Amino acid sequence: MKNMLTIISNALCRITGKNVLLIDLSEYVSLTSPAAPALAKTQRQPPKPPPVSTRASAEQLVSAPAAPLASPGARVVVSRSYADFTPQATFDIKKCEVHRLEEGPAGKAELTREQGLQYYRTMQTIRRMELRADQLYKQKIIRGFCHLYDGQEACAVGIESAINPSDHLITAYRSHGYTYTRGVSVKEILAELTGRKGGVAKGKGGSMHMYAPHFYGGNGIVGAQIPLGAGIALACQYQGNNQVCVTLYGDGAANQGQLFESFNMAALWKLPCIFICENNRYGMGTSVERASASTDYYMRGDFIPGIRVDGMDVLCVREATKFAADHCRAGKGPIVMELQTYRYHGHSMSDPGVSYRTREEIQEVRSKSDPISLLKERMLSSNMASAEEFKVIDVEIRKEVEEAAQFATSDPEPPLEELCNHIFYNEAPIEVRGTNPWSKLKSVS
């Protein structure tokens, strides 16, 4: 039935030149033959029509001709124009806790239909990509370190929607989601995970070392990216380009000495740096309560303002990041954000993730706070999209990820002669010693 609806939708689009979405309302409407009057009385009544202001004109509604009914309960296909949907809505969001600020981000967020569908598609793509990476790892096609991001999608998508493509971002080793939001395709990400030539780092970086324009990884050493992020912010200030650097780290890195050194320098020089702690409640296998004397990570900057944000709500993250970016661009110096989030997988693929927390805890977060479900329910309850529309997006994403996985397993590995390439940027070819003095390799920029 779903395939038939899709075929009819596409045909009507070509005939009318308009966007037409066909949905199955058989749950609400049933046409019966004269032989079954009793059945008709038990059927649920159709929903009330939308307010007049939101209904489409007759010209915008297209319906497929119904076939003759041969049996009770025959289904009715009703078309629905995009004009029926609410184009924009305002939602209440959780108020942020603030440190050294008179006021924080607003408690309401506006969302357009186009934004909502884009956020849903991006988060769902990250989720599906990470689940596929899990399968490839268990098949031993992906080897080595692999830290998955499922559960934390609202952080990456909310941050990216609040900054400019020309702004800068650097993170730790749980980097697949940010690699995607910074513009790298699923195909290039999965191919990098499998060590193939078509990977974003040509198969030589792996899970923790992916890069893109204005995206600096992917860093394997705990906390090492934090002073680098402060340095990028210093470059932004020096060049006077009104750009900011988003510097991400986890709760496990929040006790690193280099974090506080970076805080001090950034505050002294008023660097346009947004320090963001993604607090997913566990550093490797240790809960934050066992690892930190104070778990108020947004207050750790002391003399730097801070905000604590619901990291499972993409709209909360977006509004808080906008607030933080405006703070930095106004020349007020750095700001610290704590995103309270949760990872569904273990710390890495070598961690089952259930020895220090219960399966019931994970399931409770999934059922009550899942970022994708939260956005979807908001849009459905506000008539901003239909359930069938989300299903179509899901099918498209599954197809994209599966095609990317096929590429990641069939693309060739990089040849040995490319092993030492790109040691230097824009330099003449140099000779590199191999594993012994008589083994020579060449490095080409």
Side-chain angles (χ1 to χ4, degrees):
M1 185 65 181
K2 294 179 182 176
N3 292 338
M4 182 62 69
L5 290 177
T6 303
I7 293 170
I8 297 174
S9 293
N10 293 337
L12 290 173
C13 286
R14 289 193 296 269
I15 294 170
T16 64
K18 297 179 180 179
N19 290 324
V20 177
L21 177 66
L22 298 183
I23 57 175
D24 183 4
L25 296 182
S26 58
E27 180 184 2
Y28 300 100
V29 182
S30 177
L31 297 185
T32 63
S33 65
L39 181 63
K41 295 180 181 179
T42 64
Q43 296 297 321
R44 295 168 58 183
Q45 295 301 311
K48 294 181 181 179
V52 174
S53 60
T54 62
R55 296 179 67 183
S57 65
E59 295 177 352
Q60 292 172 307
L61 297 176
V62 183
S63 61
L69 299 175
S71 60
R75 293 184 175 183
V76 179
V77 177
V78 181
S79 67
R80 188 175 180 186
S81 165
Y82 289 127
D84 288 331
F85 295 118
T86 305
Q88 183 171 317
T90 301
F91 299 98
D92 292 324
I93 56 176
K94 185 177 179 181
K95 190 174 181 180
C96 297
E97 298 174 59
V98 298
H99 168 67
R100 284 187 175 270
L101 289 166
E102 293 183 2
E103 60 179 3
K108 294 181 180 293
E110 289 187 354
L111 179 70
T112 67
R113 169 179 152 81
E114 290 73 22
Q115 287 173 336
L117 292 175
Q118 184 57 52
Y119 297 164
Y120 178 86
R121 180 181 290 273
T122 306
M123 288 196 291
Q124 191 72 287
T125 300
I126 294 172
R127 175 73 58 85
R128 189 59 54 182
M129 176 179 70
E130 295 295 66
L131 294 179
R132 194 67 178 92
D134 171 85
Q135 294 173 350
L136 292 171
Y137 196 96
K138 289 173 179 175
Q139 294 169 5
K140 297 185 178 180
I141 297 173
I142 296 175
R143 310 300 290 264
F145 293 105
C146 186
H147 305 80
L148 300 182
Y149 200 68
D150 52 317
Q152 301 182 211
E153 296 90 353
C155 298
V157 176
I159 290 170
E160 190 62 43
S161 64
I163 61 175
N164 303 321
S166 58
D167 288 322
H168 309 269
L169 190 144
I170 187 169
T171 187
Y173 35 76
R174 202 178 303 279
S175 61
H176 307 162
Y178 291 103
T179 306
Y180 180 71
T181 59
R182 290 266 88 183
V184 179
S185 68
V186 177
K187 182 172 75 171
E188 291 177 289
I189 294 171
L190 290 182
E192 189 59 41
L193 291 175
T194 58
R196 306 306 171 109
K197 190 175 180 180
V200 63
K202 301 187 183 299
K204 295 187 286 186
S207 173
M208 300 189 291
H209 304 288
M210 301 184 188
Y211 309 93
H214 306 290
F215 176 58
Y216 306 86
N219 291 267
I221 300 175
V222 176
Q225 74 280 3
I226 302 169
L228 297 179
I232 296 168
L234 174 60
C236 294
Q237 184 189 70
Y238 183 79
Q239 295 172 1
N241 54 25
N242 201 35
Q243 296 171 359
V244 301
C245 181
V246 176
T247 302
L248 293 126
Y249 56 97
D251 53 274
N255 299 319
Q256 289 267 320
Q258 55 192 331
L259 171 64
F260 298 96
E261 295 175 57
S262 302
F263 280 173
N264 185 61
M265 295 176 70
L268 275 174
W269 297 339
K270 294 190 179 298
L271 301 181
C273 190
I274 306 173
F275 293 100
I276 299 183
C277 174
E278 290 185 281
N279 176 11
N280 59 24
R281 294 168 49 177
Y282 298 94
M284 294 189 72
T286 307
S287 67
V288 293
E289 292 81 10
R290 293 182 60 210
S292 298
S294 170
T295 58
D296 294 327
Y297 297 108
Y298 72 109
M299 301 175 66
R300 290 287 194 92
D302 188 13
F303 37 78
I304 299 176
I307 49 179
R308 174 181 273 166
V309 185
D310 180 1
M312 302 298 276
D313 183 350
V314 66
L315 297 185
C316 271
V317 177
R318 185 191 71 181
E319 295 306 305
T321 307
K322 283 181 180 177
F323 178 90
D326 290 343
H327 175 94
C328 291
R329 295 191 212 277
K332 297 179 181 179
I335 189 169
V336 177
M337 287 173 58
E338 176 189 345
L339 304 183
Q340 293 187 312
T341 184
Y342 197 83
R343 56 171 166 80
Y344 293 156
H345 268 84
H347 172 73
S348 68
M349 286 301 298
S350 61
D351 169 24
V354 291
S355 59
Y356 49 86
R357 58 181 184 176
T358 63
R359 296 184 188 276
E360 290 74 22
E361 176 187 304
I362 302 169
Q363 187 56 42
E364 183 179 11
V365 176
R366 282 183 179 273
S367 61
K368 295 181 178 180
S369 305
D370 184 76
I372 300 176
S373 299
L374 175 61
L375 176 64
K376 182 178 178 180
E377 289 165 8
R378 270 179 172 158
M379 294 188 68
L380 289 174
S381 63
S382 302
N383 191 38
M384 298 182 78
S386 68
E388 191 65 32
E389 199 168 4
F390 286 118
K391 290 178 183 177
V392 171
I393 293 173
D394 292 344
V395 170
E396 293 173 351
I397 291 170
R398 286 193 183 95
K399 180 181 178 183
E400 178 188 1
V401 172
E402 190 53 41
E403 288 176 353
Q406 292 292 331
F407 175 80
T409 54
S410 60
D411 193 51
E413 296 180 355
L416 180 61
E417 55 267 23
E418 293 185 10
L419 177 65
C420 297
N421 285 355
H422 310 111
I423 292 177
F424 295 104
Y425 169 72
N426 201 24
E427 292 284 339
I430 60 172
E431 202 171 64
V432 179
R433 173 183 158 166
T435 54
N436 52 65
W438 55 86
S439 175
K440 301 292 184 181
L441 295 169
K442 187 170 287 187
S443 176
V444 179
S445 297

